[in-house]
Each structure stands twice: as C-alpha cells, then as structure tokens.
C-alpha cells in the first residue's frame, strides 16, 4: 500500500487596519449598525469614482517586503467581474496580472528544522459586503446585506503548495498572523473575520514530485476550521486513493458540526472573471524612494526579536518564543525589565501568575489591568527584600483588581517583609516553645519538622517574615535546643 503525502496551499485574506476604506473616505470600523458606514462609492452607485488610499498600498507593500517578495514597480488594478448580491458593482477591484508583491517566501521552524514556504502573490483588493441569512437575519426565510464591509482593504496572500503536514500548516498560519501583527498592518482578529483562509489539498505518493488532483476548501475563518477541514479532506482523499479511486477536482465547504468537507460546486473549471484594467484608477508606480521609506519604517520582525531576546536577556528559546508571540507581550516584557533589571523573573511572572489571572478574567494582554512598569516594580520590591514571593503573589492579584501600583498596595496594607532579626527570633522562639512535640521529633532526627516551624512563623506573621531569614533562625533556635538537651 502506497504511503500518501499531503500537499497543502493557502490563500489568505487579511483585513488591513487603515482608518478609511480603500477607495472611499468611509471609516473602517467594526460592529457598527448595518449599513451605517457606507457612501455612494462603496455602495457601487453608477458613475462614482474610486480614489486609492495610499496607506493601504503602504501596508500591502510592507507585507510583501516582510515576505521577501519581488515588487512590481509599475502595478495596476483590475476588475474581477462576477455577480453576487454583496458586490453591488458587479465586479471587485483587485490585482491579477501585476500584484504588488510576487515570488517571496517565509521561513518557519518546524521540529527544530527550517521549512521554507514560497509565496506566489501578495496583492491589494477591496472586501465585499456581508450577506446575513436566515436565523442570523432574524427571519428563517430572509437574506439581508450589510455593506459596512464593502470597500474595506484586503491584503490577499497566496502561497505555493509547499506545506506537507498539519503541523507545517499550523505553524505557517501562526507565523503569518504574527508577522501581520508585528507589521501593524492588520489586527488579524479571526473572531471578527479579519483573517480568512482558503486551503487547497491534494495527495501524492510519498517521494513523488508530481502533484495530485487538488480540492479547494473555501470560507475557513479560524485556524481551527482550517486544520479541521484539511485533516478531514486528507482523510477523505486517502480513502478514495486506497480504494483505487480518483479524486475529483472540486470546491468544498467545511461542515464544522459533522467534521466533514462537502462539495460546494462540482465540475470546477477555472473561473472566467474577465479581468480587465480598472479604467477609473491610474497605474501605481512604486519608485525607489517609496520602497526606501517603507524599508526604513519596517519594525523588528518576530524572528529577529526572538533571537535578540535569547541573546540580550539570556532566556531559553521557548521563553523567548512565548514572550515574542505578539508585539504586545514583547513590549510589555521589555518595559517591565527596564524597571527591575530581572528578565528571568519578569518572564516567569508573565508566563505564570499573570497569564493565569488574564485567563480567569477572559482578558488578552492588550487589556491587562497591570501596567508593565508596575510588574517591574513588584519584582524590584522582591529583589530589594521588601516583600516575599508569597506576599508578591497577593499583591499581584490586588494590582490586577485595582490597577494600583505595587508600592502603593504594599504601603497601604503594611505588607513590608519582616527582616528585623531580633523581632523574628522572638517569634521563632515563641513558636518553638509552644510546640514541644515537634521539637522532640526534630531532635529525633526528623528534618522535615523544619518546614512545619517555618510554616508556623509565616502564619504568625501573615506571610511577611523574610523566608530566608526565617529558615536560618528556625534552624538556629532548634539546634540550640538540641545542644541544651545534650542530644
Ligand atoms: Zn464608502
Ligand atoms: Mn481575493
């Protein structure tokens, strides 16, 4: 039995985070009441003229540059003709022959090795309106259309079919989304439909270089949907091929509830969209000065930042990967470290307790109620011995709930650590005197009893006793008992 290898390609539509739409001055806003953010241009009235948003071109070019693409210096817009109710003009303004970017690549790390996915095309186009059907429209028999999304700029990215496993597919999507966030060109929120995918899947005998018949899966709006659909499609095609059958070229939809792909339309041949140059827009010339400005504006990209974190902060690769997952977490980390100078501690707090609090509250890092400077201050307070780790955990919770600074909470609640040796020694002596049985156990050689005494001291001081000093004093006082008893 032949072993089959999947061959996977992706088309990604990313909504660009410009202030206004791509061919009209309407603002780009999310969740506005239906049809309130429209004008004659994005409603497709006859006789109106599109005016190109330069920022949308900037953003698309940045994506192309970050994906190592060649840039078409003279590019143009074309009309992609088809009819659909959410496309009132009867055509979408897009790019076909001369996309802004072409022939690039993205290198990603999978299982410790570098895998290159080639990028065929990066272009700019306009989004369509949104159809709302049935129950969602408040009437099972109705279809409604919201044109707020019509004319929102989209960057379309098309890969070559270079991915050969679900793992590679997931890594590519994660890395690409991360890149968009770092470039600041898209919010890439999948729950808002700002990142949408189409996948192509075919199988071939392992080792073969020939491509099998491919199936396209449309309308995938989350990583989970892409991975579920591609996995199901690989399974479906494997079954067919094992039985000696032939895979039919077709377009499928993902049925999330049944976990299967279902045909959308068969007899799929290449669409004839009758592309032709958009006569209402002049060709765009991307000159050297423009590219120079964009290159100067390019931020540090995820991979560079990750490598710098390992170098500069002596972090493990895994920690650096976690911290640089988004520019928000990476900025947070660097700001906090500046305050306390302890990268390891900040990493631990972020990945541990603080992430836990965010999860509990259902919040993302961009909504974190603790300012990074305040987390830095908390770690500084521990480092200078003002509070113990146990108190720090309590203070963190309080900071999360109130937004107050660590120093303010410690002062208000009198949480400073007790490091006064005489005061602590008195407390230890009292506790030792009150627990003769435990003292006997220690004298009998049970070292574990030390922990019991330390716990009692912490209890008596409400956790404020300096832990190192407490440990040392407990041992000292107990050892003295032993000497006195001649043990
Ligand atoms: Zn408009
Ligand atoms: Mn498209």
């Amino acid at each position: 039995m032949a072993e089959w290898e999947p061959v996977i390609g992706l088309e990604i539509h990313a909504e660009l985070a410009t202030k206004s739409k791509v061919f009209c001055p309407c603002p780009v806003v999310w969740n506005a009441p239906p049809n309130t953010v429209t004008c004659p241009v994005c409603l497709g009235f006859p006789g109106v003229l599109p005016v190109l948003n330069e920022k949308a071109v900037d953003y698309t070019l940045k994506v192309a540059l970050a994906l190592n693409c060649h840039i078409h210096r003279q590019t143009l817009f074309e009309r992609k003709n088809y009819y659909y109710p959410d496309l009132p003009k009867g055509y979408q303004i897009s790019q076909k022959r001369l996309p802004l970017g072409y022939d690039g690549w993205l290198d990603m790390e999978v299982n410790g090795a570098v895998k290159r996915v080639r990028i065929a095309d990066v272009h700019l186009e306009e989004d369509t309106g949104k159809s709302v059907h049935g129950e969602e429209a408040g009437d099972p028999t109705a279809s409604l259309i919201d044109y707020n999304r019509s004319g929102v700029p989209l960057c379309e990215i098309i890969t070559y079919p270079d991915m050969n496993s679900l793992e590679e597919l997931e890594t590519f999507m994660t890395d690409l989304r991360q890149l968009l966030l770092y470039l600041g060109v898209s919010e890439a929120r999948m729950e808002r439909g700002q990142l949408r995918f189409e996948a192509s899947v075919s199988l071939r005998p392992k080792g073969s270089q020939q491509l099998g018949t491919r199936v396209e899966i449309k309308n995938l709006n989350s990583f989970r949907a892409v991975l579920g659909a591609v996995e199901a499609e690989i399974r479906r095609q494997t079954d067919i091929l094992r039985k000696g059958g032939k895979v039919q070229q077709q377009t499928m939809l993902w049925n999330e509830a049944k976990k299967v792909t279902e045909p959308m339309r068969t007899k799929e041949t290449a669409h004839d969209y009758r592309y032709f140059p958009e006569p209402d827009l002049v060709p765009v010339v991307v000159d050297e000065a423009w590219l120079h400005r964009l290159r100067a504006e390019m931020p540090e990209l995820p991979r560079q930042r990750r490598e710098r974190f390992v170098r500069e902060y002596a972090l493990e690769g895994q920690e650096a990967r976690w911290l640089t997952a988004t520019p928000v977490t990476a900025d947070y980390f660097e700001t906090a470290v500046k305050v306390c100078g302890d990268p390891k501690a900040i990493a631990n707090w972020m990945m541990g307790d603080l992430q836990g609090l965010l999860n509990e509250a259902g919040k993302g890092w961009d909504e974190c109620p603790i300012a990074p400077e305040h987390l830095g201050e908390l770690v500084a307070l521990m480092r200078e011995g003002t509070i113990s780790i146990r108190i720090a955990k309590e203070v963190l919770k309080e900071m999360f709930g109130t937004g107050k600074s660590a120093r303010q909470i410690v002062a208000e609640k009198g949480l400073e650590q007790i490091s006064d040796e005489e005061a602590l020694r008195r407390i230890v002596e009292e506790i030792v005197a009150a627990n003769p049985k435990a003292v006997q156990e220690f004298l009998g050689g049970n070292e574990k009893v030390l922990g019991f005494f330390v716990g009692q001291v912490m209890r008596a001081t409400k956790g404020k006793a300096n832990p190192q000093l407490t440990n040392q004093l407990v041992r000292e006082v107990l050892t003295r008992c032993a000497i006195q008893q001649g043990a």
Side-chain angles (χ1 to χ4, degrees):
M1 192 157 41
E3 223 189 318
W4 303 96
E5 175 185 61
V7 177
I8 307 159
L10 274 183
E11 293 184 24
I12 303 102
H13 285 95
E15 235 178 52
L16 296 176
T18 50
K19 291 206 176 68
S20 56
K21 294 185 179 180
V22 60
F23 298 122
C24 66
C26 290
V28 174
V29 284
W30 182 76
N31 223 10
N35 297 307
T36 56
V37 201
T38 57
C39 73
V41 174
C42 54
L43 286 172
F45 283 21
V48 295
L49 290 173
V51 177
L52 178 60
N53 179 340
E54 189 182 342
K55 209 70 185 177
V57 183
D58 271 5
Y59 283 7
T60 309
L61 283 170
K62 280 187 179 178
V63 174
L65 289 173
L67 290 172
N68 309 290
C69 286
H70 294 284
I71 305 294
H72 273 127
R73 299 311 184 87
Q74 174 145 354
T75 173
L76 59 89
F77 288 94
E78 280 157 296
R79 290 187 178 181
K80 177 180 180 176
N81 298 282
Y82 67 96
Y83 175 76
Y84 201 74
D86 65 16
L87 187 73
K89 295 198 298 287
Y91 60 86
Q92 178 193 31
I93 302 179
S94 179
Q95 301 191 286
K96 179 74 174 173
R97 266 184 302 154
L98 298 170
L100 282 165
Y102 63 100
D103 279 351
W105 42 266
L106 179 68
D107 279 346
M108 53 188 200
E109 239 175 77
V110 185
N111 293 326
V114 175
K115 167 84 189 204
R116 175 163 292 189
V117 175
R118 291 167 303 150
I119 307 293
D121 179 314
V122 175
H123 67 259
L124 175 61
E125 63 184 31
E126 58 180 341
D127 208 346
T128 63
K130 203 173 165 180
S131 304
V132 185
H133 301 292
E135 296 300 342
E136 227 189 312
D139 173 351
T141 63
S143 281
L144 302 178
I145 304 170
D146 176 7
Y147 289 111
N148 284 349
R149 206 180 67 179
S150 172
V152 168
L154 289 178
C155 175
E156 180 167 347
I157 301 156
I158 304 170
T159 77
Y160 283 91
D162 284 351
M163 289 161 275
N164 302 106
S165 68
L166 292 173
E167 204 175 1
E168 289 180 6
L169 180 61
E170 184 170 16
T171 308
F172 180 84
M173 292 190 290
T174 307
D175 285 6
L176 182 71
R177 179 170 184 275
Q178 189 185 35
L179 198 63
L180 294 171
L181 292 175
Y182 268 70
L183 291 169
V185 299
S186 173
E187 290 185 38
R189 289 178 196 258
M190 284 176 277
E191 72 280 10
R192 295 187 182 178
Q194 291 169 345
L195 205 54
R196 314 198 283 270
F197 303 88
E198 290 169 28
S200 69
V201 182
S202 64
L203 295 187
R204 65 183 172 198
K206 242 192 179 130
S208 160
Q209 289 306 310
Q210 240 175 341
L211 292 172
T213 306
R214 73 190 203 135
V215 163
E216 275 177 58
I217 315 165
K218 298 234 179 235
N219 299 347
L220 301 166
N221 292 337
S222 68
F223 287 2
R224 213 180 62 168
V226 174
L227 293 167
V230 170
E231 186 179 19
E233 184 54 29
I234 291 171
R235 215 181 314 124
R236 191 186 71 86
Q237 293 186 22
T238 308
D239 274 358
I240 293 173
L241 293 171
R242 275 193 183 150
K243 288 178 189 144
K246 266 194 167 163
V247 173
Q248 224 193 321
Q249 183 177 333
Q250 56 188 339
T251 303
M252 312 279 271
L253 288 175
W254 170 231
N255 185 327
E256 177 96 52
K258 293 190 195 157
K259 304 270 176 255
V260 292
T261 50
E262 295 168 338
M264 177 175 156
R265 43 173 187 250
T266 41
K267 275 204 302 186
E268 177 84 0
T269 48
H271 278 285
D272 190 354
Y273 289 118
R274 304 271 166 157
Y275 280 93
F276 66 85
E278 164 63 64
D280 293 336
L281 288 167
V282 292
V284 176
V285 176
V286 183
D287 61 14
E288 201 49 51
W290 191 349
L291 283 179
H292 187 77
R293 172 172 64 78
L294 291 176
R295 285 208 182 91
E297 281 175 20
M298 291 288 266
E300 187 180 29
L301 294 179
R303 186 166 181 180
Q304 301 159 320
R305 199 166 193 186
R306 193 164 69 233
E307 287 167 4
R308 180 170 64 79
F309 271 31
V310 171
R311 232 176 23 243
E312 201 171 312
Y313 300 113
L315 296 169
E316 305 290 331
Q318 275 308 320
E319 293 170 323
R321 182 174 293 279
W322 192 97
L323 291 165
T324 56
T326 68
V328 176
T329 46
D331 289 345
Y332 192 104
F333 171 80
E334 295 210 271
T335 309
V337 169
K338 265 195 202 111
V339 176
C340 66
D342 190 341
K344 204 79 182 174
I346 294 295
N348 288 338
W349 281 102
M350 284 181 69
M351 294 162 69
D353 289 62
L354 192 43
Q355 181 65 64
L357 289 172
L358 287 167
N359 291 349
E360 256 172 51
K363 284 190 154 96
W365 280 91
D366 52 344
E367 318 161 291
C368 181
I370 299 181
E373 293 85 355
H374 289 176
L375 181 66
E377 192 181 273
L378 182 74
V379 171
L381 286 171
M382 280 176 62
R383 276 166 71 89
E384 67 196 37
T386 308
I387 54 172
S388 65
I389 177 134
R390 195 177 127 177
I391 294 292
K393 281 175 188 271
E394 276 174 40
V395 173
L396 186 82
K397 275 188 199 146
E398 188 79 15
M399 288 162 75
F400 196 87
T402 64
K404 289 182 185 172
S405 80
R407 232 173 253 286
Q408 191 184 352
I409 291 166
V410 168
E412 277 174 11
K413 301 204 152 187
L415 297 173
E416 289 91 349
Q417 184 160 261
I418 304 173
S419 296
D420 174 346
E421 192 171 334
E422 278 322 299
L424 258 188
R425 186 188 301 276
R426 269 196 304 279
I427 295 167
V428 173
E429 280 168 348
E430 274 167 34
I431 287 167
V432 166
N435 292 282
K437 255 177 84 180
V439 174
Q440 287 311 315
E441 277 182 49
F442 176 76
L443 299 181
N446 184 357
E447 284 265 324
K448 279 187 196 149
V449 184
L450 280 171
F452 162 77
F453 282 109
V454 171
Q456 292 297 309
V457 175
M458 286 299 175
R459 194 185 225 184
T461 58
K462 298 198 172 69
K464 291 192 287 181
N466 177 323
Q468 269 173 310
L469 190 58
T470 303
N471 268 311
Q472 180 199 321
L473 288 171
V474 164
R475 194 173 276 281
E476 250 178 60
V477 173
L478 287 174
T479 310
R480 208 172 57 220
C481 288
I483 295 165
Q484 281 164 1
Q485 298 212 358

